[in-house]
Amino acid sequence: MLWKQQWPDANPLCHPLLLGSSLSDSLPFPIGKEDGTGDRGDGSLHSDHHGPYFPLKEITEQQKEGIRMVKRVMISLEGEDGLDEIYSFSESLRQLCVFKKIEKSSMAWPCQLTIGSNLSIRIVAYKSIQQGKAKKAWTVVDARSLRKEDIQKETVYCLNDDDETEVPKEDTIQGFRYGSDIIPFSKVDEEQMKYKSEGKCFSVLGFCRSSQVHRKYYMGNQVLKVFAAKDDEAAAVALSSLIHALDELDMVAIVRYAYSKNSNPQVGMAFPYIKDTYECLVYVQLPFMEDLRQYMFSSLKNNKKCTPTEAQLSAVDALIDSMSLVKKDEEEGMVEDLFPTTKIPDPQFQRLFQCLLHRALHPQEPLPPIQQHILNMLDPPTEVTAKCQIPLSKIKTLFPLTEAIKKKDQVTAQDIFQDTHEEGPTSKKLKTEERGAHFSLSSLAEGSVTKVGSVNPAENFRVLVRQKTTSFEEASHQLINHIEQFLDTNETLYFMKSMDCIKAFREEAIQFSEEQRFNGFLKALAEKVESKQLNHFWEIVIQDGITLITKDEASGSSVTAEEAKTFLAPKGNPSEDTAAAFEEGGDVDDLLDLI
């Protein structure tokens, strides 16, 4: 009876909640705040910068009393969790501005957690975190009828000949490009090549200290939470013992994970995760050897120009501290996440469906600009922006930016009338200085070089010919092999890498009087480019002006400047006789054979 008497009295107090006129951002309210200020306890779409902006007003004492009444009602009916069900009118608008995916319950993955050959625990795993991708189910339709059935797609395979002879699909086969060769693989080979596992697997390979698994090694697009199988008390006790033992010893389990017999196995770590209401193992994938990338960089400590002062170091430290996205309350021991990424919708997903909705409702209108609340999602918190202003001003003061003006080289009479055939001490000194400057940089970056590699072939080539550990002929052969492989990919990225190799070859050929070797290579390259119809690559060569070494550049060359200029001149279409010769089996010989 007491509840029935109080309920009507609460109606006028709750009326502002229903209207939302002055409680635009005061509800839902977190536990412990009686003044009605604050946002949702779960941090969804914080009104300070993550959601669309609505005007805020101060709430009256009567409205605060209404908030307290609703809070008592919700706790009485649903307990503490019932507070998550309260929405103010403005927050409802904020939620309606966000597109949401169809929520699907996580599918259980039952398996056996095995430790050695004698211990087995029944487990079930769920995907706790998975990378979300917007499924763009685009399909090709007729532009007039907008019907998919009116479009028919047909794929035809043809030979690369003048007649474009059609080849039946059953006469084609998959090929794997390995360097400059293509290795054929049939369907049978593909099936036999696949990794065959024994089935689903979650076996512990061993244990290690948690400090040995660095955060940078975490990879994969999902995180699994592993629990004991339902209604299996023995499994629950065994898994709980394992979890607490790992937690007490500060260790993790290194695990071999395979989703099914048709999936490739992974190696990962399982670490303990203990909360008040549950406990489990959390699995994260770790990299294999091929997944790691090793980079060598020269130390900045060796460069006195880049050595920071103590004031500069302190200023950068202060900037990093001021931009922390975690707020700690020392008195209460609470940690607040100022930028909860788990509560921020994916801007790409929001923009996609904003455009789809607009196009469905307004087919003839242009797409609208990005909504402001989408842009605001990734803005830094206002509190962080305010705190970092002072450190940023110190950074600007201690790290001044000055315009770098390139000094014009002063041209002297000696530079204009220099003797190119001079072999005196001055000429040798210049060559030695140029060679030494480039060599020291290469040796710092490369270390010990024994052959021309595919990662940095130009620098490897320079180091080899200057250390004289390999003959110029052998080093040039290795470099040419890589140039051929890069050209066979027929990709612009590798074309630019080939250009670096050719430039390095030309520079070193002049230094070591190997101009004949380079000129022979470049002539053979021009023929190969023409036969393989790599005209776009040759255009890059022409733009960069990479031509034959003339006798003005090296005394051992017989090429004149006019001949070098003619070499780069665009050539006309090959004659019919030349085309016929190639069709009859004439492929350009290997570049190495022509040198």
Side-chain angles (χ1 to χ4, degrees), residues 316-428:
V316 175
D317 288 342
L319 177 64
I320 295 174
D321 292 338
S322 66
M323 296 184 68
S324 174
L325 297 176
V326 177
K327 183 179 180 181
K328 296 182 180 179
D329 191 338
E330 301 295 342
E331 296 181 357
E332 299 182 6
M334 300 292 290
V335 177
E336 181 185 357
D337 190 356
L338 299 178
F339 195 78
T341 56
T342 57
K343 304 298 182 182
I344 301 174
D346 183 358
Q348 179 189 8
F349 181 83
Q350 300 300 316
R351 174 60 176 168
L352 171 64
F353 281 91
Q354 176 201 358
C355 295
L356 290 176
L357 176 62
H358 183 85
R359 177 59 68 240
L361 298 178
H362 311 284
Q364 305 301 326
E365 296 181 9
L367 293 177
I370 301 177
Q371 293 177 343
Q372 187 60 39
H373 78 271
I374 296 179
L375 297 174
N376 295 336
M377 286 178 184
L378 297 181
D379 283 346
T382 53
E383 182 177 344
V384 174
T385 305
K387 287 175 60 179
C388 70
Q389 293 304 315
I390 297 177
L392 275 176
S393 62
K394 291 183 179 179
I395 292 286
K396 291 180 180 179
T397 304
L398 295 172
F399 294 90
L401 296 179
T402 57
E403 184 179 357
I405 302 175
K406 186 178 180 181
K407 295 182 180 179
K408 293 184 179 180
D409 296 332
Q410 191 173 13
V411 181
T412 63
Q414 184 180 0
D415 296 326
I416 299 174
F417 302 104
Q418 61 181 344
D419 186 0
T420 57
H421 300 285
E422 182 182 354
E423 295 295 337
T426 306
S427 176
K428 291 182 179 179

Side-chain angles (χ1 to χ4, degrees), residues 68-134:
R68 287 190 285 269
M69 174 60 69
V70 173
K71 182 176 178 179
R72 288 196 294 270
V73 170
M74 295 304 299
I75 293 178
S76 301
L77 296 177
E78 301 289 343
E80 297 287 341
D81 296 336
L83 296 174
D84 292 336
E85 305 298 326
I86 305 176
Y87 288 90
S88 66
F89 185 75
S90 60
E91 188 165 24
S92 300
L93 292 177
R94 193 181 307 124
Q95 294 287 343
L96 291 174
C97 288
V98 177
F99 294 95
K100 291 190 175 182
K101 293 182 179 180
I102 300 176
E103 296 185 1
K104 297 180 180 179
S105 58
S106 181
M107 184 179 297
W109 181 75
C111 192
Q112 295 283 339
L113 187 154
T114 58
I115 306 177
S117 56
N118 298 324
L119 181 58
S120 178
I121 304 173
R122 286 182 60 213
I123 60 169
V124 59
Y126 300 91
K127 291 181 181 179
S128 175
I129 300 175
Q130 185 177 25
Q131 182 179 0
K133 294 182 180 180

Side-chain angles (χ1 to χ4, degrees), residues 39-40 42-51 94 337-338 340:
D39 207 331
R40 289 183 54 82
D42 61 2
S44 298
L45 291 174
H46 288 291
S47 59
D48 57 351
H49 65 283
H50 294 298
R94 193 181 307 124
D337 190 356
L338 299 178

